[in-house]
């Protein structure tokens, strides 16, 4: 299959001008078409429309990229593409809150860029993602500009989070520019990756305060980076250099500790907090405890943490094991099931992927030392199928909850609901048609990522995204992608999401509780 694809690709590049074939996009993938080929008036008939709060049998009419009507028996004239969805679910396209496309990391760059990663996403029913901008030498503006350039390849809608990797007088000013002028409403702080992205508690506190004043959401990668560094040294001293050393050097206790620390620092300044890639029971329990006490803390599990276990890291084949290296690590059997339970009960709120792919050659950089294996796994194309299979097919979650955790909650948290995350008149026409009776199969031979491996290799299950509509265009149908590089839109995201509602009252209550100033009687000396 891979060879066939390569042949088609070569044929397209060198011979398409002679045969008048559809244009080839910048990245050279064979499934590029011109935008005018894609229907702009679509009627989806007879499906079960699922939103996060209800489901009903209805038609959905789309025109010029927007959902115009959602009701039974919509009548249309000529020139409208009719898609029969009888017996199928019509749901909002997935929104992935956590991706790294074209990210320079650990001496290399992720293999999926804004075109190939997004093409893969669309084939799997995800129609928007939020990617992490990494500052250039600490400069947010330079980082933003670099990512604007990278994202020119986009074929679906996307937004940005911004990482904060150092603190000086410019950073808070640039944070303000990001929020007020560039449409970024979230900032990520890495408590791990000592020597590169890691920040101190002092910086985290500054960042939390600044986020709060801007109405932005502070996000943390919660692992104790100093202790991880120590754990890595210990593994090397023990002669453990393979991928299993990655998991052994950064156990759940270090994720639990950092999660607790971040939560307590956020409580100290009364700022909302979003914990990315919650991988362990330890971290989840810290989040649950904080939520019980009324703190505004969001936990994001990722597909790998929900589905996989760490036994794969002991595989005797280096590449097979190394492809699973990510941080925090994939945990021992048992953590995934507790994370699934926490997702079904609402402790964990939305599912991301942390899609950050490296191919076998890149993973081989760490053949003699696990510390050099680029951290990251795939998931953008697989998330919608695997979450359905693990959560809905298993009976842990309803279809409406599935929509909530794969799309709506993300739209609400990043303040773009109901434009995104809903099948409602006026919403963007980002829609999937999902057949619960069909079957999905995952393989690197047939996936759309540029990676030569897939951490979900060989998995199959019930439920399949049969059609993806992005921005009002059918981009995935009959197992074929029709995507156009450059057609994706940047979605600006305003500050002050729902987590900020009433936070001023909590601050006022806190100030009142201080019972100050105290009118003291001065000693007469
Ligand atoms: O291993 C991972 N997670 N790679 C991506 C960077 C991050 O920490 O999110
Ligand atoms: Zn991270
Ligand atoms: Zn990440």
């Amino acid at each position: 299959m891979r060879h066939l694809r390569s042949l088609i690709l070569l044929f397209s590049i060198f011979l398409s001008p002679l045969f008048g074939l559809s244009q080839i996009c910048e990245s050279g993938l064979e499934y590029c078409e011109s935008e005018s080929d894609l229907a702009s008036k679509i009627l989806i008939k007879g499906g079960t429309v699922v939103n996060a709060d209800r489901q009903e049998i209805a038609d959905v009419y789309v025109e010029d990229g927007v959902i115009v009507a959602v009701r039974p028996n919509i009548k249309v004239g000529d020139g409208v593409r009719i898609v029969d969805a009888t017996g199928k679910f019509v749901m909002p396209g997935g929104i992935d809150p956590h991706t790294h496309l074209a990210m320079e990391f650990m001496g290399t760059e992720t293999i999926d860029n804004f075109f190939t990663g997004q093409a893969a996403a669309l084939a799997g029913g995800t129609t928007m993602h939020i990617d992490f901008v990494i500052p250039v030498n600490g400069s947010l503006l330079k980082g933003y500009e670099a990512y604007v350039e990278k994202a020119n390849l986009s074929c679906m809608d996307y937004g940005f989070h911004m990482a904060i990797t150092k603190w000086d007088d410019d950073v808070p000013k640039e944070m303000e520019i990001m929020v007020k002028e560039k449409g970024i409403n979230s900032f990520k702080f890495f408590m791990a990756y000592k020597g590169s992205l890691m920040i101190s508690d002092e910086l985290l506190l500054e960042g939390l305060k600044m986020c709060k004043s801007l109405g932005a959401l502070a996000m943390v990668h919660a692992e104790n980076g100093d202790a991880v560094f120590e754990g890595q040294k210990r593994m090397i001293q023990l002669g453990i250099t393979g991928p299993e050393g990655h998991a052994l050097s950064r156990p759940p206790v270090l994720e639990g500790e950092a999660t607790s620390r971040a939560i307590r620092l956020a409580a100290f300044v009364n700022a909302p907090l979003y914990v990315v890639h919650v991988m362990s029971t330890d971290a989840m329990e810290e989040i649950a405890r904080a939520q019980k006490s009324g703190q505004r803390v969001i936990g994001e599990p990722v597909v790998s943490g929900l589905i996989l276990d760490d036994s794969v890291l002991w595989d005797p084949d280096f590449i097979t094991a190394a492809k699973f290296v990510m941080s925090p690590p994939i945990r021992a059997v048992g953590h995934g099931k507790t994370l699934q339970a926490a997702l079904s009960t609402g402790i964990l709120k939305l599912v991301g992927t942390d899609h950050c792919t490296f191919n076998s050659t890149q993973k081989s950089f760490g053949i003699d030392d696990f510390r050099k294996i680029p951290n990251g796994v795939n998931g953008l194309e697989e998330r919608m199928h695997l979450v359905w299979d693990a959560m809905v097919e298993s009976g842990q979650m309803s279809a409406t909850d599935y929509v909530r955790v794969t799309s709506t909650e993300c739209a609400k948290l990043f303040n773009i609901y109901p434009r995104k995350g809903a099948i409602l008149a006026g919403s963007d026409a980002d829609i999937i048609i999902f057949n619960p009776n069909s079957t999905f199969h995952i393989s690197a031979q047939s996936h759309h990522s540029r990676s030569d491996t897939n951490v979900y290799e060989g998995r199959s299950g019930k439920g399949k995204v049969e059609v993806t509509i992005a921005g009002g265009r059918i981009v995935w149908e009959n197992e074929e992608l029709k995507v156009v590089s450059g057609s994706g839109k940047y979605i600006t995201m305003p500050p002050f999401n729902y987590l900020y509602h009433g936070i001023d009252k909590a601050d006022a209550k806190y100030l009142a509780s201080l019972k100050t100033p105290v009118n003291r009687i001065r000693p007469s000396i």
Side-chain angles (χ1 to χ4, degrees):
M1 181 65 186
R2 205 136 263 289
H3 296 304
L4 180 63
R5 275 170 173 250
S6 309
L7 273 178
I8 298 169
L9 174 57
L10 284 173
F11 178 79
S12 320
I13 291 170
F14 296 112
L15 300 181
S16 62
L18 304 176
F19 291 88
L21 294 178
S22 56
Q23 67 179 67
I24 298 298
C25 62
E26 278 176 68
S27 68
L29 288 173
E30 70 271 24
Y31 34 73
C32 247
E33 303 258 330
S34 80
E35 207 163 354
S36 58
D37 294 339
L38 314 174
S40 71
K41 291 184 185 175
I42 305 163
L43 179 66
I44 306 166
K45 278 209 79 62
T48 301
V49 174
V50 188
N51 277 305
D53 57 347
R54 63 193 292 243
Q55 63 179 65
E56 59 187 324
I57 293 182
D59 298 346
V60 179
Y61 180 59
V62 167
E63 204 174 305
D64 296 331
V66 175
I67 297 172
V68 174
V70 184
R71 62 183 142 79
N73 300 317
I74 298 176
K75 301 275 178 279
V76 286
D78 294 340
V80 178
R81 169 80 200 275
I82 312 283
V83 182
D84 182 16
T86 312
K88 300 174 188 174
F89 291 118
V90 179
M91 306 193 270
I95 310 177
D96 188 337
H98 188 155
T99 61
H100 303 276
L101 300 181
M103 181 204 196
E104 287 151 50
F105 187 47
M106 296 186 74
T108 183
E109 183 169 328
T110 56
I111 194 78
D112 279 324
N113 61 25
F114 275 78
F115 181 70
T116 61
Q118 293 184 351
L122 291 167
T126 287
T127 52
M128 180 178 168
H129 69 114
I130 314 180
D131 208 85
F132 288 89
V133 173
I134 306 295
V136 174
N137 298 327
S139 162
L140 277 51
L141 271 170
K142 286 203 183 112
Y144 172 78
E145 277 155 19
Y147 271 73
V148 167
E149 188 69 28
K150 291 172 199 263
N152 279 337
L153 294 175
S154 290
C155 56
M156 74 184 210
D157 291 358
Y158 61 94
F160 289 146
H161 312 285
M162 171 68 69
I164 302 294
T165 53
K166 73 164 195 185
W167 199 262
D168 60 20
D169 289 348
D170 290 336
V171 171
K173 289 183 199 137
E174 291 193 333
M175 285 174 78
E176 186 167 356
I177 295 172
M178 291 302 135
V179 172
K180 295 191 174 156
E181 296 172 27
K182 308 293 186 197
I184 292 177
N185 66 5
S186 46
F187 296 92
K188 179 175 177 184
F189 301 86
F190 290 89
M191 300 169 80
Y193 304 123
K194 188 176 165 83
S196 60
L197 302 171
M198 182 173 142
I199 48 89
S200 63
D201 286 355
E202 186 186 3
L203 192 157
L204 180 56
L205 267 174
E206 290 295 348
L208 286 165
K209 283 191 295 178
M210 192 62 198
C211 281
K212 183 174 176 183
S213 73
L214 293 169
L217 187 52
M219 310 172 93
V220 282
H221 172 134
E223 284 183 288
N224 185 317
D226 287 319
V228 167
F229 188 69
E230 176 57 32
Q232 290 174 330
K233 279 196 295 190
R234 190 192 295 173
M235 288 308 125
I236 297 296
Q237 277 160 8
L238 288 169
I240 302 169
T241 58
E244 70 282 10
H246 179 74
L248 294 171
S249 65
R250 42 209 309 157
V253 64
L254 303 190
E255 189 187 345
E257 185 278 332
T259 305
S260 161
R261 185 160 32 105
I263 286 173
R264 285 157 201 261
L265 293 180
F268 180 55
V269 296
N270 191 27
L273 185 72
Y274 181 115
V275 184
V276 305
H277 47 44
V278 176
M279 296 295 280
S280 62
T281 308
D282 309 47
M284 182 275 289
E285 283 175 348
E286 294 296 339
I287 293 166
R289 187 197 50 73
Q291 287 171 348
K292 246 191 201 155
S293 75
Q295 202 179 330
R296 296 155 201 228
V297 181
I298 301 291
E300 169 214 80
V302 290
V303 182
S304 50
L306 291 168
I307 306 276
L308 301 170
D309 69 71
D310 71 355
S311 56
V312 286
L313 291 164
W314 274 258
D315 194 286
D317 179 67
F318 173 79
I319 293 299
T320 307
K323 74 177 176 183
F324 293 97
V325 167
M326 66 167 290
S327 295
I330 293 162
R331 303 298 187 187
V333 175
H335 288 269
K337 284 276 175 267
T338 28
L339 296 180
Q340 288 183 15
L343 182 64
S344 72
T345 54
I347 294 168
L348 301 177
K349 289 279 186 301
L350 72 169
V351 183
T353 61
D354 199 4
H355 185 89
C356 182
T357 39
F358 299 100
N359 66 15
S360 305
T361 311
Q362 293 171 302
K363 289 281 182 181
S364 297
F365 296 163
I367 182 77
D368 296 318
D369 184 343
F370 67 83
R371 295 171 298 182
K372 297 190 179 136
I373 301 170
N375 288 194
V377 300
N378 63 288
L380 247 174
E381 183 165 356
E382 297 80 14
R383 181 182 71 127
M384 297 296 278
H385 290 126
L386 289 171
V387 174
W388 180 273
D389 194 52
M391 301 305 298
V392 185
E393 273 303 312
S394 68
Q396 295 184 87
M397 189 173 262
S398 64
T400 49
D401 280 340
Y402 170 79
V403 166
R404 178 174 54 77
V405 301
T406 58
S407 183
T408 312
E409 184 60 31
C410 184
K412 287 185 175 172
L413 272 171
F414 296 99
N415 238 352
I416 48 173
Y417 179 87
R419 176 179 177 188
K420 300 286 185 189
I423 306 281
L424 294 172
S427 297
D428 282 1
D430 293 342
I431 302 168
I432 58 173
I433 300 178
F434 188 90
N435 185 347
N437 298 313
S438 194
T439 310
F440 72 85
H441 303 282
I442 299 174
S443 170
Q445 299 299 304
S446 53
H447 73 195
H448 296 81
S449 159
R450 274 169 72 194
S451 180
D452 58 346
T453 64
N454 190 312
V455 294
Y456 306 105
E457 184 66 43
R459 281 178 190 256
S460 52
K462 255 186 112 191
K464 174 106 178 67
V465 175
E466 290 188 340
V467 177
T468 305
I469 298 171
R473 311 271 184 182
I474 297 178
V475 292
W476 171 250
E477 192 180 25
N478 303 321
E479 301 286 305
E480 253 179 59
L481 267 174
K482 292 181 180 153
V483 286
V484 182
S485 182
S487 62
K489 291 188 299 298
Y490 176 60
I491 304 297
T492 58
M493 298 181 288
F496 294 104
N497 70 4
Y498 73 83
L499 295 173
Y500 274 95
H501 297 171
I503 213 155
D504 48 340
K505 292 201 174 67
D507 283 339
K509 199 170 155 203
Y510 164 74
L511 287 176
S513 77
L514 300 180
K515 294 186 267 171
T516 55
V518 180
N519 283 327
R520 291 224 159 71
I521 303 147
R522 299 178 73 84
S524 50
I525 306 163

